[in-house]
Amino acid sequence: MSTDEQADGENGDVHAEQSAAKRFADYPRRAKSGWRRWIPSWKLVTVLCLGFVGGVLGVATVAYALVEVPNPTRMAQAQSNVYYWADGGQMASTGGEVNRQIIAVDQIPAAMQNAVISAQNKSFRTDSGVDAMGVGRALVDMVGGTESQGGSTITQQYVRATRFSGEPHSLGGKFRELVVSAKVGSNMEKSTILTGYLNTAYYGRDAYGVQTAAHVYYDKDARDLNVGECAFLATLLQGATHFDPAGAVTTDPAATPAANTARAKQRWAWILDEMVKDGQLAAPERARFTHFPIPRPITKAAKPDGQVGYLVDLATAYFLKNNGKGITSDDLARGGYEIHTTFDRRNVAALESAVQQARKARINPAQRPDTDTHVQFGGASVNPATGAIVAVYGGEGAAQHIGNHADETGVRVGSAFTPFVLAAALRDGVRDPEGKPEQGPSGRTIVDPDKSRYSGLNKLKIKNYDGSPWKSEKGEEWLQANDGGASYGDITLREAMVRSVNSPFVQLGMDIGIPTVRQAAEDAGLLKSSLNTSSVPSFSIGTSSPSVIRMATAYATFGADGQHWEPFSVERVSHNGRTVYRHEGKPARAFSKAVAATVTDVLRSVVDEPDGTGNSARLPGRNAAGRIGTTDGNKSAWFVGYTPQLSTAIDMYRLDESQTAKSRQFLGMYGTGGPDKARGGSLPSEIWRTYMTHALGAQAR
């Protein structure tokens, strides 16, 4: 080592010792500062913040330079939504060429432009195209896992409709939308942006653009719309599903005509008032519009007919409700989605054929107009092992008939409800007559379907669990009648199920407790909203109105050893080649294997026994379990049954669909189809047998 190097080293050691000594001397003073030694200096914070902001600005600058301004003419070419069968074959294609006509700004009434600005973006004519506060709220919502509600200037909505249609809401997507909106706001005239938005926006009823909407809702050109009509069309931009007075219950059960009309009227009036506040409408002119401009009735859409129309509606509603990514009906209407369903084309064809065969052979309105008119059927078939809906029969054709008969129709299920009473008795037991009304497991006794005996008397006086006579609020006792007035002595629950005797199950339900029976039905898979809220004794014999889909699902729970799978109709969905939804099911334990097996064994007796009411549903060489269902007044007839592979529900009723909703009444079926009485054990069970024979085919038994 050289002398200079040695000297530098010695000096360095000295300096190091002095520095260390100084730090040691300062230590007590610093220690007194406590937590402050962990806080970075303001200089460091400033550098980090500037670096972060610079990085963000750099990324934003690059993104800003690369993005293209939307082309509304190009966006007028929409894509179809394609629906697929479970085997991958194409089932239906909806959409395609968009129902849109581009018009110039001078053809769009000033009132339409002003209504939209007053309703959605008051600062539109002066802002930069981006609502920073709104974007902040949207980002906070997304980070928190809630649906985005903010950040929607007219410019941003235009950008989203033309550039990001169908994309799930995400932080990245909101950033890209923000950048494009900023560029659009600085590169396009306000009148061009507003015209583009009004020409590309979705107004419901498959109408894109204000010109098409004007024809669809009011049968006139956009330039001929008055102020009130313009305010209504502006209302639809909030979401046509919930503001079109025609309703959209196939998309959302809450979007009824009455509810939508109320929402539309309220928002319509608000928009007109806002236009006055904004100086866009004179108060005397506003005073002229006191009556809501009801649009013309919805016309039949060019939608798939037959059973496929029902299948498309079911799959669409399921996806919109369960996608979990904020994809709306408006997004779906713009197209580009591939929806892979659970529907088996062979089973759908077999179910429709079975209904048509029975209708042709047994229903004759010409010969029996008083009994065979307005006959309706509904059907659904579910895989017990997964919950997949493999087939439905929704009616004679989706384009010709109102609603989907496989979905909720208000038809009471009748005695097909009794297996849930039996399941509750096997799982929860009957209450101790000496105990309090609310009893836990220790106070209850589990029943045995072959040993527990109940009175099968016709017009049996029903009692409370403690043996006292049940009385209504008016002090009236309950005398339970049996089907056809048949009367029996003390019989087992298996015998009562086989012969469809009502009185034992009504009394059993009282012994268990109606709330406990109701819970068992929910656990099996029936929707709480479909169950009668009354606790009258007849609850146990089917005063509730579940759909055939839910009945098939609930019986499937017994076929799946007590595991309940929620029904579903969509396996996965992709948009422009990217998966946006994939079904992930998980079963819930509703009943033990022993309880499910016992219920199944009893229901097999209903089908197998020579005097069983479900005997006409027997499948040669294959075990099947099931139950008929009839109601007071014979206004509905059911058969619900299952094998390990399939659970299927069929219902039948009479309803004049031409009547208004308020005046509709279910009609009796005495003599319908020829016999003295149409029962669940007749036509519905025959349809069930024909369908199941074809659907199961050569499947393993």
Side-chain angles (χ1 to χ4, degrees):
M1 179 182 294
S2 67
T3 304
D4 290 341
E5 289 174 337
Q6 183 176 4
D8 289 341
E10 290 174 351
N11 290 335
D13 291 342
V14 171
H15 292 156
E17 290 176 3
Q18 291 175 345
S19 177
K22 186 176 186 302
R23 287 198 303 272
F24 183 81
D26 288 345
Y27 179 77
R29 178 176 56 81
R30 289 179 179 174
K32 292 178 182 179
S33 299
W35 51 268
R36 294 189 180 185
R37 62 195 179 104
W38 300 107
I39 297 179
S41 69
W42 66 267
K43 293 181 180 180
L44 179 59
V45 172
T46 301
V47 170
L48 290 175
C49 288
L50 290 175
F52 175 76
V53 172
V56 171
L57 291 176
V59 172
T61 301
V62 173
Y64 184 89
L66 294 177
V67 298
E68 297 180 11
V69 173
N71 183 337
T73 302
R74 183 173 66 239
M75 290 309 300
Q77 305 302 317
Q79 305 173 69
S80 299
N81 290 322
V82 182
Y83 293 76
Y84 296 91
W85 295 104
D87 63 9
Q90 183 171 323
M91 181 176 77
S93 178
T94 63
E97 295 183 4
V98 170
N99 188 17
R100 175 191 290 138
Q101 182 180 350
I102 303 295
I103 58 176
V105 65
D106 60 2
Q107 294 178 283
I108 302 175
M112 184 69 205
Q113 301 176 46
N114 293 330
V116 172
I117 291 173
S118 289
Q120 300 194 38
N121 186 186
K122 291 179 181 294
S123 63
F124 168 73
R125 299 192 187 279
T126 58
D127 64 32
S128 63
V130 175
D131 177 8
M133 293 298 293
V135 170
R137 288 192 301 271
L139 294 176
V140 170
D141 287 342
M142 284 185 285
V143 170
T146 58
E147 186 176 347
S148 174
Q149 298 293 333
S152 294
T153 65
I154 287 175
T155 303
Q156 287 175 260
Q157 292 180 65
Y158 170 58
V159 166
R160 180 160 185 81
T162 54
R163 284 291 303 271
F164 303 104
S165 172
E167 286 195 13
H169 298 278
S170 65
L171 291 172
K174 182 58 69 175
F175 176 75
R176 292 192 299 272
E177 177 189 309
L178 179 65
V179 173
V180 177
S181 298
K183 188 163 189 177
V184 168
S186 62
N187 285 271
M188 293 178 67
E189 295 291 336
K190 289 292 185 178
S191 61
T192 304
I193 295 172
L194 183 59
T195 303
Y197 172 64
L198 294 175
N199 275 324
T200 55
Y202 181 60
Y203 295 78
R205 301 192 188 184
D206 292 328
Y208 290 83
V210 64
Q211 174 71 347
T212 303
H215 279 280
V216 167
Y217 288 95
Y218 293 112
D219 197 22
K220 62 174 67 174
D221 286 332
R223 63 187 176 188
D224 296 326
L225 294 168
N226 64 39
V227 175
E229 292 164 344
C230 288
F232 168 71
L233 294 185
T235 294
L236 294 172
L237 297 178
Q238 184 75 0
T241 297
H242 296 97
F243 288 89
D244 182 353
V249 292
T250 57
T251 299
D252 184 349
T256 63
N260 279 17
T261 300
R263 280 189 287 262
K265 285 183 176 180
Q266 183 179 29
R267 185 165 177 80
W268 171 80
W270 175 81
I271 289 175
L272 290 173
D273 292 340
E274 290 300 302
M275 292 174 70
V276 174
K277 291 180 183 178
D278 297 338
Q280 304 293 350
L281 181 65
E285 179 74 359
R286 164 66 180 92
R288 291 180 51 230
F289 296 96
T290 57
H291 298 292
F292 180 70
I294 294 290
R296 65 177 185 161
I298 192 169
T299 56
K300 285 182 168 57
K303 61 183 292 185
D305 196 7
Q307 298 310 305
V308 170
Y310 300 118
L311 303 180
V312 167
D313 284 346
L314 279 174
T316 299
Y318 181 85
F319 171 61
L320 291 176
K321 183 178 180 180
N322 296 280
N323 70 76
K325 295 186 177 180
I327 298 174
T328 67
S329 56
D330 289 357
D331 294 325
L332 194 64
R334 296 185 181 103
Y337 291 86
E338 293 184 352
I339 297 97
H340 295 263
T341 75
T342 60
F343 305 124
D344 185 306
R345 69 171 87 198
R346 289 179 59 258
N347 287 13
V348 170
L351 184 52
E352 182 177 29
S353 176
V355 174
Q356 291 176 340
Q357 180 179 325
R359 183 183 288 277
K360 183 177 180 180
R362 301 282 295 277
I363 305 300
N364 194 328
Q367 289 186 4
R368 295 183 294 273
D370 293 336
T371 60
D372 284 19
T373 54
H374 311 305
V375 176
Q376 314 290 347
F377 293 95
S381 195
V382 173
N383 184 340
T386 64
I389 304 171
V390 300
V392 300
Y393 179 82
E396 294 181 76
Q400 287 80 34
H401 288 263
I402 299 173
N404 182 349
H405 297 170
D407 217 337
E408 291 188 19
T409 58
V411 178
R412 290 188 173 184
V413 70
S415 46
F417 191 85
T418 53
F420 308 123
V421 184
L422 177 61
L426 294 169
R427 183 187 70 177
D428 305 301
V430 297
R431 292 174 288 182
D432 180 354
E434 302 296 328
K436 296 181 179 180
E438 299 295 330
Q439 297 182 19
S442 61
R444 292 174 175 265
T445 302
I446 302 300
V447 304
D448 185 319
D450 295 308
K451 295 180 180 179
S452 301
R453 305 182 73 86
Y454 275 80
S455 173
L457 289 176
N458 184 48
K459 295 186 178 180
L460 176 70
K461 182 185 292 187
I462 300 303
K463 300 177 181 180
N464 293 309
Y465 80 99
D466 61 4
S468 62
W470 184 90
K471 293 183 179 181
S472 68
E473 293 179 354
K474 296 181 179 180
E476 299 170 334
E477 295 183 339
W478 190 279
L479 303 179
Q480 181 58 51
N482 287 327
D483 192 23
S487 192
Y488 304 84
D490 286 353
I491 58 175
T492 66
L493 293 175
R494 183 188 296 272
E495 291 175 310
M497 190 75 78
V498 168
R499 299 183 183 183
S500 193
V501 186
N502 291 333
S503 51
F505 286 100
V506 172
Q507 185 59 60
L508 176 61
M510 298 304 294
D511 293 347
I512 298 168
I514 299 301
T516 303
V517 173
R518 185 181 289 110
Q519 187 60 56
E522 283 187 51
D523 294 342
L526 299 189
L527 294 176
K528 184 176 183 178
S529 59
S530 72
L531 296 176
N532 194 316
T533 57
S534 172
S535 292
V536 298
S538 59
F539 176 86
S540 294
I541 52 172
T543 57
S544 299
S545 307
S547 68
V548 290
I549 291 176
R550 282 289 168 172
M551 282 298 288
T553 299
Y555 272 50
T557 298
F558 301 130
D561 295 328
Q563 292 270 57
H564 166 62
W565 293 83
E566 273 293 292
F568 69 102
S569 57
V570 177
E571 287 280 5
R572 60 185 175 86
V573 177
S574 61
H575 182 260
N576 292 335
R578 180 168 53 85
T579 299
V580 296
Y581 171 78
R582 188 179 298 277
H583 173 74
E584 295 180 0
K586 186 178 181 181
R589 172 61 65 184
F591 308 101
S592 67
K593 288 185 177 181
V595 167
T598 302
V599 173
T600 295
D601 185 61
V602 171
L603 295 183
R604 281 180 179 170
S605 297
V606 174
V607 176
D608 291 341
E609 293 293 329
D611 59 345
T613 51
N615 185 259
S616 58
R618 290 187 65 184
L619 299 175
R622 191 184 292 272
N623 287 325
R627 180 72 164 89
I628 70 166
T630 55
T631 58
D632 290 342
N634 200 34
K635 293 182 178 180
S636 67
W638 290 72
F639 187 82
V640 190
Y642 57 96
T643 67
Q645 298 83 13
L646 283 178
S647 177
T648 302
I650 306 291
D651 73 350
M652 170 185 174
Y653 54 96
R654 291 180 63 214
L655 178 66
D656 183 355
E657 292 186 328
S658 66
Q659 296 177 336
T660 62
K662 290 184 178 180
S663 62
R664 286 183 193 173
Q665 291 185 347
F666 292 100
L667 307 173
M669 293 191 294
Y670 294 102
T672 299
D676 292 337
K677 188 176 183 182
R679 304 174 66 233
S682 55
L683 272 178
S685 59
E686 291 171 16
I687 293 171
W688 186 92
R689 179 184 180 183
T690 301
Y691 161 71
M692 291 289 279
T693 299
H694 285 86
L696 294 172
Q699 288 190 42
R701 287 168 168 76

